[in-house]
Amino acid sequence: MHLPQTAEYALRAMACIALKKDGRPVPSKVLARATGIPSHYLSKILRKMVEADLVTSQKGHGGGFRLAKDPSEIKFRSILATVDYKIEPNSCVFGWDECDSDDPCPLHNTWSQLKDSFQWWAENTTLQDVIDDPGKAESLLNPINATKAD
Amino acid sequence: MHLPQTAEYALRAMACIALKKDGRPVPSKVLARATGIPSHYLSKILRKMVEADLVTSQKGHGGGFRLAKDPSEIKFRSILATVDYKIEPNSCVFGWDECDSDDPCPLHNTWSQLKDSFQWWAENTTLQDVIDDPGKAESLLNPINATKAD
DNA sequence: TTTTTAATAGATATACAAGTCTATTGATAA
DNA sequence: TTATCAATAGACTTGTATATCTATTAAAAA
């Protein structure tokens, strides 16, 4: 199971921003170091997040990115959709235009099992879940980087 | 939810071969038409399936491809792995080398939910499931193509 | 005002997946 | 034995995702 690189990056970046405890914005350079995402590439991803109203940005000294709304309102589905990882409920692995339980392709049932669980996950997982179970996140935006950002 | 094109093709092709009722092999051209896969590209995918011992091939007039073993023994995981869509159980969306419940990345738990369900699906779904629930498959290897192949 | 920090914009490059083309080999049927 | 069918092999092209680079704009601090 692996997402396209860009989609994976998007989740990493958003998770990191969500985990920033003080109210201060996270500069993209700090984020790049914490997530291992190439810095310029990350900037482009973040730009999309801004346009999708998932984060806000602030230019200049002390600037950076922060969440645009409550973490519980930012679904993984929205994050993925922003980097064009769309999950069309009616898409068919077989490439059929019309494929549903009335008119199923040979893979319809087997595929639906997976598709449905993905849909559920993307729809019901939010950045709040990341905050509730942050793992070893304390080391992410660590003192070294934090000092430079502060 | 979408697989890489090649992985999707692999599932389509294998499903079609599994659904061939008479014992005769399916020529790749017929398969290409039935699945919408570019014919030469399909050949490459099938070659990999042969090397992975999932299908056998027969050259010449009346030749083609057929399953190398019982459909119940061909897991989706094997099909996907053959076209390099690997599903490493220990892979981490965050890119960490070590990431498990003892030492989790910030996305470990949310991601594991999805990863586990994918793993289960790939491991427990076989071509037998496709045969048991073939959808509107009768139209796939239809008379027009079948005549040419026979 | 000047300097520094940091986002934004867009052109360019690289890598890899996807797709095409031509030729060859092997098997069957006539 | 000849003609035809079909897999195999591999070079080549195309397209797209990923990554890099340079320059510009905006804001804060000194």
Side-chain angles (χ1 to χ4, degrees):
Chain A
M1 181 78 211
H2 46 76
L3 297 174
Q5 189 70 86
T6 308
E8 192 178 300
Y9 285 169
L11 292 181
R12 285 192 206 174
M14 292 300 284
C16 267
I17 296 173
L19 288 170
K20 180 81 171 179
K21 280 155 201 164
D22 53 17
R24 278 181 275 197
V26 191
S28 75
K29 269 192 184 174
V30 174
L31 214 50
R33 236 173 286 153
T35 55
I37 305 171
S39 133
H40 287 83
Y41 197 63
L42 173 60
S43 292
K44 290 188 177 177
I45 295 172
L46 289 171
R47 192 79 262 287
K48 290 185 180 178
M49 296 299 152
V50 171
E51 279 158 14
D53 284 320
L54 298 183
V55 302
T56 58
S57 66
Q58 169 130 21
K59 281 187 172 184
H61 192 111
F65 298 85
R66 69 182 93 196
L67 298 187
K69 39 190 158 183
D70 193 88
S72 66
E73 286 171 5
I74 302 182
K75 300 173 176 183
F76 277 30
R77 185 182 57 67
S78 311
I79 299 172
L80 295 175
T82 300
V83 288
D84 294 311
Y85 193 75
K86 300 280 172 59
I87 308 121
E88 313 291 348
N90 295 325
S91 72
C92 166
V93 244
F94 230 88
W96 290 11
D97 288 337
E98 292 285 323
C99 176
D100 49 42
S101 47
D102 291 336
D103 211 351
C105 81
L107 289 169
H108 181 79
N109 264 286
T110 50
W111 183 247
S112 289
Q113 289 179 36
L114 180 62
K115 193 170 63 177
D116 291 351
S117 71
F118 184 86
Q119 300 263 23
W120 186 92
W121 175 83
E123 186 67 28
N124 293 96
T125 309
T126 72
L127 290 180
Q128 186 61 48
D129 294 308
V130 177
I131 293 171
D132 290 344
D133 191 353
K136 300 258 172 165
E138 64 279 0
S139 62
L140 271 183
L141 302 170
N142 63 54
I144 298 165
N145 298 325
T147 320
K148 294 192 176 180
D150 289 354
Chain B
M1 182 77 212
H2 46 75
L3 297 174
Q5 189 69 86
T6 307
E8 192 178 300
Y9 285 169
L11 293 182
R12 285 191 207 174
M14 292 299 285
C16 267
I17 296 173
L19 288 171
K20 179 81 171 180
K21 280 155 205 163
D22 52 18
R24 279 179 273 195
V26 192
S28 74
K29 268 191 185 176
V30 175
L31 213 50
R33 236 173 285 152
T35 55
I37 305 172
S39 134
H40 287 84
Y41 197 63
L42 173 59
S43 291
K44 289 187 178 177
I45 295 172
L46 289 171
R47 193 80 260 288
K48 290 186 179 177
M49 296 299 151
V50 171
E51 279 157 16
D53 283 319
L54 298 184
V55 301
T56 57
S57 65
Q58 169 130 20
K59 280 188 172 183
H61 193 112
F65 298 86
R66 67 182 96 195
L67 298 188
K69 39 191 156 183
D70 193 87
S72 66
E73 285 171 5
I74 303 183
K75 301 173 177 184
F76 277 31
R77 186 182 55 68
S78 312
I79 299 173
L80 295 175
T82 300
V83 288
D84 295 310
Y85 193 76
K86 302 279 172 56
I87 308 123
E88 313 292 347
N90 295 324
S91 71
C92 165
V93 244
F94 230 88
W96 289 12
D97 288 337
E98 292 284 322
C99 176
D100 49 40
S101 48
D102 290 336
D103 212 351
C105 81
L107 288 169
H108 180 79
N109 265 285
T110 50
W111 183 247
S112 289
Q113 289 180 35
L114 180 62
K115 194 171 61 177
D116 291 350
S117 70
F118 185 86
Q119 301 263 23
W120 185 92
W121 176 83
E123 187 66 28
N124 291 95
T125 309
T126 73
L127 289 180
Q128 187 61 49
D129 294 307
V130 176
I131 292 171
D132 291 344
D133 191 353
K136 300 259 172 164
E138 65 277 1
S139 62
L140 271 183
L141 302 170
N142 63 56
I144 298 166
N145 298 326
T147 319
K148 294 192 176 181
D150 287 353

